[in-house]
């Protein structure tokens, strides 16, 4: 996961022009391994009727368990490797397809969830009843969406197996 921190930071910078990630690292809080993110405000942010000005001194710290981001790839690996295969060639093909799918699961989970935590701070402070697509995505992931994404990725990986057996 440490190798993915650079791409995660890059995606957050691409999707959110209002915040700037200052620190992104894997850290330990008590017995938990977490992703630690410190971010600041790059541009003026309007939330509801409130305005938050860019101040270089302002920082938000977000930590989230690293294990949460491993759920979808773990479901993918368990389903793909647990499904019976006819031969070693089929196993090799599955592993080749599975690797980029696991990376894609990280790419659609970690940066968006981390960025959503920043927006959640603004929403909670200034417009508690408001919502946005990124907050809805975070809620989907937290309420079982990671299992669904892992299962869908496994179906993509196993699709050739289903076609061969018919």
């Amino acid at each position: 996961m440490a190798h993915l921190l650079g791409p995660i930071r890059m995606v957050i910078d691409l999707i959110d022009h209002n915040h700037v990630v200052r620190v992104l690292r894997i850290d330990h809080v008590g017995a938990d391994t977490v992703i630690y993110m410190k971010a600041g405000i790059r541009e003026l942010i309007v939330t509801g009727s409130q305005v938050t000005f860019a101040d270089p001194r302002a920082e938000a710290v977000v930590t989230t368990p690293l294990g949460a981001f491993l759920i979808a790839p773990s479901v993918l690996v368990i389903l793909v490797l647990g499904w019976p295969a006819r031969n070693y060639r089929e196993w090799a093909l599955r592993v080749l397809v599975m690797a980029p799918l696991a990376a894609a699961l990280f790419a659609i989970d970690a940066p968006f969830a981390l960025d959503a935590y920043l927006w959640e701070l603004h929403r909670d402070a200034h417009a508690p009843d408001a919502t946005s697509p990124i907050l809805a995505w975070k809620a989907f992931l937290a309420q079982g969406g990671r299992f669904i994404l892992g299962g869908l990725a496994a179906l993509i990986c196993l699709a050739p197996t289903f076609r061969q057996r018919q």
Side-chain angles (χ1 to χ4, degrees):
M1 187 67 178
H3 299 294
L4 296 175
L5 292 177
I8 289 170
R9 175 184 243 157
M10 186 178 68
V11 171
I12 292 171
D13 283 342
L14 288 172
I15 63 173
D16 187 351
H17 300 289
N18 297 99
H19 295 101
V20 59
V21 177
R22 295 189 177 133
V23 177
L24 185 63
R25 68 177 185 247
I26 295 177
D27 206 351
H28 297 281
V29 175
D32 293 330
T33 302
V34 299
I35 292 184
Y36 173 96
M37 180 174 70
K38 187 184 289 186
I41 299 173
R42 182 183 297 159
E43 294 180 4
L44 179 91
I45 297 175
V46 177
T47 312
S49 62
Q50 299 292 317
V51 176
T52 306
F53 294 96
D55 184 341
R57 298 169 296 171
E59 292 182 329
V61 174
V62 173
T63 61
T64 188
L66 179 62
F69 301 120
L70 300 176
I71 292 172
S74 296
V75 169
L76 168 65
V77 170
I78 290 166
L79 291 175
V80 169
L81 296 182
W83 196 265
R86 287 190 228 172
N87 53 44
Y88 291 112
R89 188 173 146 236
E90 190 174 320
W91 283 110
L93 180 62
R94 286 183 190 183
V95 170
L96 286 173
V97 173
M98 189 172 49
L101 285 173
L105 289 172
F106 278 119
I108 62 174
D109 187 349
F112 290 92
L114 289 168
D115 191 52
Y117 283 114
L118 295 174
W119 286 105
E120 197 170 48
L121 293 171
H122 294 289
R123 192 247 354 240
D124 291 349
H126 302 300
D129 295 331
T131 191
S132 70
I134 197 159
L135 294 176
W137 178 252
K138 180 185 150 294
F140 165 74
L141 292 174
Q143 296 170 3
R146 289 181 172 105
F147 292 100
I148 293 169
L149 291 175
L152 290 174
L155 283 176
I156 291 168
C157 195
L158 294 170
T161 303
F162 297 139
R163 278 189 248 130
Q164 289 175 0
R165 294 190 180 174
Q166 289 179 357

